[in-house]
Amino acid sequence: MTLSIQNIEKILHAKRFGNSNGIIDNVSIDSRSLQNNEKTLFFALVGPNNDAHIYISSLIEKGVLHFAVTNIPEGLSNKATFLVVENTLDALQKFAAHHRSLFKFPVFGLTGSNGKTIVKEWLNFLLSPDFNIIRSPKSYNSQVGVPLSVISINDKHNLGLFEAGISKMNEMEKLEAIIRPTIGIITNIGSAHDEGFVDLEKKIKEKLKLFKHSKLIIYQKNKVVDALINTKTKAFSWSYSDETADVFVVKKAIDDKTILQIRYGKDNFDIQIPFQDDASVENAVTCLMVLLSFKYDKKTIQNRMQWLYPVEMRLKVKNGINNTTLIDDSYSSDFQSLKIALDFLESQKQYKNKTVILSDIFQSGLSNEELYSKVSQLITSNKINRVIGIGETISTFKHKFKNCTTFKNTADFFLNFNYLNFINETILIKGARHFQFEEIVAALEEKTHETVLEINLNAISHNLSFFKSKLKPTTKMMVMVKAFGYGSGGFEIAKLLEHHKVDYLGVAFADEGIALKIAGINLPIMVLNPETTSFPSIIQHHLEPEIYSLKGLNAFLQLAEKRKLKHFPIHIKLDTGMHRLGFEEENLDELIATLKGNKFVGVKSILSHMATSDDSRHQDFAHSQIDLFEKLSSKLMAELQIKPIRHILNTSGISNFPQAQYDMVRLGIGLYGVSNDAEEQKYLENVGTLKSIISQIRSIQAGESVGYGRRFLADKPTQIATIPIGYADGISRHWGNGLGFVTINNQKATIVGSICMDMLMVDISEISCKEGDSVTIFGQSPSVSFIAEKLQTIPYEILTSISQRVKRVFYRE
């Protein structure tokens, strides 16, 4: 894509301000991306929680010269070229739709509740020997993701695979205009995003709008879909049960595989696929339908489909050997996903030095010379310190990279592994599947036991946006990352929050804040429970203490005077009824007298804490706290002639007392996907999933027991699985003895006997499973809220109890 700014002006029907005759070869919506440059057109998107116009000034300083905006920020009109439009998202979509109109090759549009990304990736695998394919990177299927995907089409592509995801009515028409699919695919239609639709028929009707101009629709035969498909569009259906479908399928499980018996017209043949779960089989049949529609012969279909593989849809952050952090993207290597992975690397880097281990890149649609020149530019703009290339082609273009070592294949890399000196760095591992980069990840990953807490960074971003949407545009946001990020991990969460430009982080003790500062977090950090002995360290590391007593204030002032500080930020805590920490009304005059005229410290904020913001039975008390906070904080501000940030609301307060937002709110447990309100819980996404594996399976007879104290006695032959997680990992012993359960292959397995220090045992008599299978301790089911209710405690305790010996794995979908 190379366009003049004048051409783009016409495409967008924009008004141009500025005389630039510049050329654009890159579109961006992310002000944080290091890939922004003088040839970038930045679309300043405006959402319910963010307005990108505020970042234009800093982007100009970084060299960006061209912007699509709804208004020109004050003082910048002569510093860049601006294309003024009514709506920047509409403009981005219009730009993408124009770009799509320039290409005439077949384009698949995929929609459905589940399976879109897997089907897309499998189709890429199955069709790539014969086509140069452009596809959505990862799951870029939204109103923003789709146009960004489509803009990447170039002249060398001859087949497109694009996902379209919707969550409410009237979204699909915009995506249809951008993708313009010639062939439609409907994957499984489940319950995802049901809340945005009146009923299933309305949901299907909305999804079918994607195929307004399609010549063919591929789907699992369904009476509702049949009735809604445009009669001018050819339908190509399959079914397990309806023999009137175009393709009739019988599935038969053998060992760990499935044999699909296919009847298609007069043809009858079998296909073997390496899966047995219903979702994978259904997705594989959808892919088969595409191959049949493209007239592939039986032999080719059989040969290719037997090699289908599990699709890893997530970028994972893992702890590596020798103080390294790994970004695991070891199953794909294409240009668009490389750009995404490099942005993710920047958002999660823990160490200054950054290394990229990269395989040959396929299906770029570019010549190798042009491709590796562009890759080199990406590597340079992202300030990568070292490149390790693996593959014949990237080795040929080694000269395009600074500090680059290359190897012909992965085996050659391992022969030289000990000489590569991986230490104190962040490493992105990104390779095409056949290079088997998962072996590189395994070699570099820190070795821990097989229980892991998976943290979904997309879910954290979603939950943050959900609570931001409840705030006034001027209200600041502090996010609590105390107690090791509520058990989820401190630095990684803090880094993501810094990426999202929250205003403050909150920790309980100085040690937590110091660790974040040492790791490179630059956001202001408030220490809520500082001990006087930690004051020197707080000053040294530029943390900001909460001051809640005259004793603590005087101690800090003495140190501030001794160190000749000027207006060092402190935060004054008022006790409005919690009676835990804080200045009470009777202390206020002495507090004012102590602070008045003092130049060593500056009151950055005044805060209090609500005791019953989550309990409707105590609304009167909550209102009395707010009223008292207003009275006391106003007196402080008037007497000291200051205008600090004021804040009293926690997570539940944000939802239940919006009138008391003041200048800032403090988001805690809600960020991690937990609400005490059942209706609100529907809109939050699960963040943490605690997983383990089955270590061993044994059979016991009636009368035999399991575990310490023989607290479980079998009354019939029973299958028992042992899971390597116990109370030393943070699982309450009260959760054993038949009360609790884990989930194995989507089925409940009751915990039997006492939970041990490092193990627990479950009844799997009715579950088909084997040693090594994955086990969910908590996540979607059981949820931490469910466990907390059964144990008569709160979700905070469940989350924060998980031991740090349990490895945290952070990922982004």
Side-chain angles (χ1 to χ4, degrees):
M1 175 191 69
T2 302
L3 284 172
S4 70
I5 203 72
Q6 291 94 332
N7 283 338
I8 298 173
E9 176 188 358
K10 294 174 184 175
I11 293 166
L12 301 185
H13 304 295
K15 292 183 179 180
R16 176 162 56 99
F17 294 84
N19 298 317
S20 172
N21 295 316
I23 296 296
I24 297 301
D25 66 6
N26 177 42
V27 165
S28 175
I29 61 165
D30 187 352
S31 63
R32 299 158 298 198
S33 175
L34 297 180
Q35 297 156 32
N36 295 323
N37 57 44
E38 70 278 1
K39 292 186 178 180
T40 295
L41 174 60
F42 183 84
F43 284 82
L45 300 187
V46 179
N49 311 313
N50 196 23
D51 183 348
H53 289 77
I54 66 176
Y55 307 124
I56 290 176
S57 178
S58 62
L59 282 165
I60 291 173
E61 291 176 7
K62 295 174 183 176
V64 180
L65 301 175
H66 307 96
F67 300 88
V69 298
T70 56
N71 60 86
I72 303 173
E74 187 176 349
L76 299 180
S77 57
N78 297 321
K79 295 185 178 181
T81 297
F82 294 94
L83 300 176
V84 179
V85 296
E86 287 188 14
N87 182 298
T88 46
L89 176 58
D90 287 347
L92 175 66
Q93 294 174 338
K94 190 180 295 183
F95 183 83
H98 169 80
H99 187 70
R100 166 68 181 93
S101 70
L102 304 176
F103 302 93
K104 304 302 180 186
F105 53 74
V107 170
F108 285 89
L110 295 91
T111 191
S113 304
N114 306 294
K116 295 186 294 294
T117 302
I118 292 171
V119 169
K120 178 195 67 184
E121 293 300 316
W122 281 354
L123 286 177
N124 179 66
F125 166 76
L126 292 166
L127 297 172
S128 59
D130 311 303
F131 295 93
N132 198 352
I133 298 172
I134 175 70
R135 70 191 193 280
S136 315
K138 299 294 178 183
S139 52
Y140 266 42
N141 58 28
S142 66
Q143 298 290 310
V144 174
V146 167
L148 292 177
S149 301
V150 168
I151 287 167
S152 299
I153 301 173
N154 66 46
D155 292 333
K156 300 295 189 340
H157 294 127
N158 56 15
L159 185 73
L161 299 168
F162 296 105
E163 295 181 48
I166 55 171
S167 56
K168 58 185 179 182
M169 297 295 292
N170 304 317
E171 288 186 328
M172 191 61 90
E173 285 179 323
K174 293 182 178 180
L175 300 185
E176 192 279 333
I178 300 167
I179 299 173
R180 279 296 171 114
T182 57
I183 304 168
I185 295 176
I186 304 175
T187 63
N188 176 275
I189 296 180
S191 59
H193 303 297
D194 270 357
E195 64 275 5
F197 303 93
V198 176
D199 54 37
L200 180 63
E201 182 175 331
K202 289 281 196 306
K203 184 176 182 178
I204 294 174
K205 188 176 289 187
E206 178 71 14
K207 289 182 180 293
L208 286 172
K209 289 179 182 178
L210 178 62
F211 311 129
K212 182 178 178 181
H213 296 93
S214 298
K215 298 175 182 177
L216 176 71
I217 297 179
I218 294 169
Y219 68 105
Q220 183 174 9
K221 194 166 181 62
N222 175 300
K223 290 182 180 178
V224 179
V225 177
D226 288 341
L228 295 174
I229 289 180
N230 190 321
T231 54
K232 296 179 181 179
T233 305
K234 182 181 178 182
F236 189 37
S237 64
W238 68 273
S239 179
Y240 295 130
S241 57
D242 189 340
E243 296 194 29
T244 66
D246 297 294
V247 177
F248 187 71
V249 181
V250 176
K251 54 182 178 177
K252 186 177 180 181
I254 298 178
D255 296 326
D256 57 349
K257 301 177 179 62
T258 300
I259 303 298
L260 300 177
Q261 297 174 337
I262 308 300
R263 191 180 73 203
Y264 173 41
K266 296 180 180 180
D267 282 339
N268 291 275
F269 58 98
D270 291 350
I271 295 169
Q272 177 180 290
I273 57 173
F275 305 102
Q276 284 193 342
D277 64 284
D278 292 341
S280 294
V281 173
E282 186 174 317
N283 292 331
V285 175
T286 300
C287 293
L288 163 70
M289 296 291 288
V290 172
L291 297 180
L292 291 173
S293 72
F294 271 35
K295 311 299 183 186
Y296 276 85
D297 62 83
K298 286 182 287 186
K299 187 176 180 180
T300 301
I301 293 173
Q302 290 166 332
N303 181 54
R304 292 187 186 178
M305 291 200 61
Q306 68 178 324
W307 298 110
L308 291 178
Y309 53 88
V311 173
E312 180 54 74
M313 295 184 291
R314 311 182 299 188
L315 283 160
K316 292 182 178 179
V317 184
K318 300 176 177 179
N319 291 329
I321 60 174
N322 304 327
N323 291 323
T324 59
T325 298
L326 311 181
I327 311 292
D328 180 3
D329 195 11
S330 55
Y331 293 97
S332 68
S333 183
D334 59 86
F335 186 68
Q336 288 306 311
S337 65
L338 175 61
K339 294 170 71 173
I340 294 168
L342 286 169
D343 278 340
F344 184 63
L345 166 64
E346 185 61 26
S347 74
Q348 281 294 314
K349 70 175 186 211
Q350 186 167 355
Y351 302 98
K352 182 179 179 180
N353 287 334
K354 297 180 286 186
T355 291
V356 173
I357 302 176
L358 182 65
S359 79
D360 288 346
I361 295 175
F362 302 114
Q363 291 185 303
S364 68
L366 305 171
S367 68
N368 284 334
E369 179 68 32
E370 186 179 0
L371 169 63
Y372 287 99
S373 293
K374 285 181 171 290
V375 172
S376 174
Q377 291 170 12
L378 276 183
I379 294 294
T380 300
S381 64
N382 279 272
K383 300 176 182 177
I384 302 301
N385 303 91
R386 174 169 63 154
V387 175
I388 298 173
I390 299 178
E392 299 277 351
T393 308
I394 197 170
S395 295
T396 303
F397 291 92
K398 175 182 177 180
H399 62 279
K400 290 188 175 291
F401 304 93
K402 291 181 180 178
N403 193 20
C404 180
T405 304
T406 59
F407 303 98
K408 297 296 184 184
N409 51 51
T410 306
D412 193 16
F413 166 86
F414 275 113
L415 287 174
N416 294 274
F417 183 84
N418 293 331
Y419 304 105
L420 292 171
N421 297 322
F422 295 104
I423 186 170
N424 298 329
E425 58 191 315
T426 304
I427 306 167
L428 170 63
I429 303 162
K430 184 160 186 60
R433 183 172 182 81
H434 79 263
F435 282 94
Q436 297 180 310
F437 271 20
E438 67 272 17
E439 295 180 8
I440 296 177
V441 174
L444 287 171
E445 191 174 0
E446 183 180 64
K447 304 304 181 282
T448 55
H449 74 99
E450 292 165 301
T451 296
V452 298
L453 180 60
E454 293 186 343
I455 309 299
N456 185 337
L457 297 176
N458 292 82
I460 287 182
S461 297
H462 168 86
N463 296 338
L464 178 67
S465 294
F466 173 78
F467 284 102
K468 272 189 174 182
S469 70
K470 294 174 175 283
L471 304 181
K472 295 176 291 187
T474 55
T475 304
K476 298 180 185 293
M477 172 79 81
M478 173 189 283
V479 180
M480 310 309 296
V481 291
K482 61 183 181 177
F484 194 53
Y486 287 64
S488 296
F491 166 77
E492 292 84 359
I493 304 299
K495 191 67 180 175
L496 179 64
L497 296 171
E498 188 169 58
H499 191 66
H500 283 297
K501 292 181 166 60
V502 303
D503 300 284
Y504 259 91
L505 298 179
V507 298
F509 299 104
D511 289 351
E512 297 172 316
I514 291 168
L516 293 177
K517 286 294 185 182
I518 290 173
I521 298 299
N522 294 312
L523 284 174
I525 299 174
M526 185 190 300
V527 182
L528 280 79
N529 303 329
E531 297 160 323
T532 55
T533 54
S534 69
F535 285 163
S537 296
I538 285 174
I539 293 170
Q540 177 187 348
H541 294 279
H542 305 288
L543 304 174
E544 301 179 17
E546 174 189 287
I547 302 296
Y548 51 81
S549 70
L550 287 167
K551 178 183 175 184
L553 176 59
N554 287 323
F556 194 84
L557 287 174
Q558 287 176 14
L559 185 61
E561 182 176 6
K562 183 178 178 180
R563 299 208 175 180
K564 298 180 181 179
L565 302 179
K566 288 186 178 180
H567 305 293
F568 192 93
I570 63 171
H571 303 264
I572 298 298
K573 175 74 167 285
L574 301 177
D575 182 0
T576 56
M578 182 81 159
H579 296 329
R580 190 171 63 176
L581 293 174
F583 292 94
E584 295 183 291
E585 186 171 8
E586 62 194 48
N587 309 130
L588 215 59
D589 289 337
E590 192 173 354
L591 171 63
I592 292 168
T594 305
L595 287 172
K596 189 169 285 188
N598 191 298
K599 296 182 180 180
F600 301 114
V601 298
V603 178
K604 191 70 176 287
S605 83
I606 302 172
L607 66 146
S608 189
H609 197 92
M610 298 181 71
T612 61
S613 62
D614 60 346
D615 193 337
S616 60
R617 296 172 301 174
H618 297 290
Q619 282 212 0
D620 289 344
F621 181 77
H623 284 295
S624 72
Q625 280 199 271
I626 294 169
D627 292 343
L628 183 55
F629 178 67
E630 173 65 28
K631 175 185 174 183
L632 300 185
S633 61
S634 296
K635 181 177 180 179
L636 264 177
M637 292 164 63
E639 293 282 351
L640 296 175
Q641 296 185 342
I642 57 174
K643 290 187 177 180
I645 299 166
R646 290 192 288 175
H647 48 113
I648 189 172
L649 297 184
N650 55 5
T651 295
S652 51
I654 293 171
S655 299
N656 296 332
F657 299 93
Q659 75 281 5
Q661 287 181 16
Y662 286 99
D663 306 297
M664 186 162 72
V665 297
R666 303 187 300 272
L667 178 61
I669 195 72
L671 181 76
Y672 305 95
V674 177
S675 172
N676 69 307
D677 183 285
E679 191 60 33
E680 184 174 80
Q681 186 66 56
K682 296 176 183 177
Y683 296 95
L684 299 180
E685 293 185 359
N686 179 65
V687 168
T689 301
L690 182 59
K691 289 184 174 181
S692 193
I693 64 163
I694 297 175
S695 293
Q696 190 176 43
I697 293 175
R698 70 180 67 249
S699 299
I700 65 171
Q701 300 304 311
E704 293 187 308
S705 62
V706 173
Y708 289 116
R710 303 195 74 201
R711 289 186 174 87
F712 174 78
L713 287 171
D715 58 5
K716 59 183 178 181
T718 305
Q719 288 278 102
I720 299 293
T722 299
I723 319 297
I725 184 171
Y727 59 77
D729 300 294
I731 307 302
S732 171
R733 291 185 76 247
H734 299 295
W735 190 230
N737 295 314
L739 175 64
F741 67 91
V742 301
T743 301
I744 301 173
N745 294 336
N746 297 315
Q747 292 180 268
K748 292 181 179 180
T750 301
I751 300 173
V752 296
S754 296
I755 291 175
C756 309
M757 180 180 288
D758 308 300
M759 286 170 277
L760 59 82
M761 288 70 73
V762 298
D763 183 349
I764 57 166
S765 301
E766 304 300 323
I767 301 174
S768 175
C769 57
K770 61 184 182 298
E771 292 176 359
D773 278 1
S774 179
V775 178
T776 297
I777 312 301
F778 66 63
Q780 293 289 0
S781 177
S783 68
V784 291
S785 296
F786 177 86
I787 296 173
E789 180 184 355
K790 294 298 181 182
L791 293 177
Q792 298 182 15
T793 183
I794 56 176
Y796 297 74
E797 183 176 353
I798 306 301
L799 288 172
T800 58
S801 294
I802 302 306
S803 165
Q804 292 198 34
R805 81 174 185 174
V806 173
K807 178 173 65 175
R808 271 68 173 173
V809 173
F810 299 85
Y811 68 91
R812 178 173 286 174
E813 299 283 1

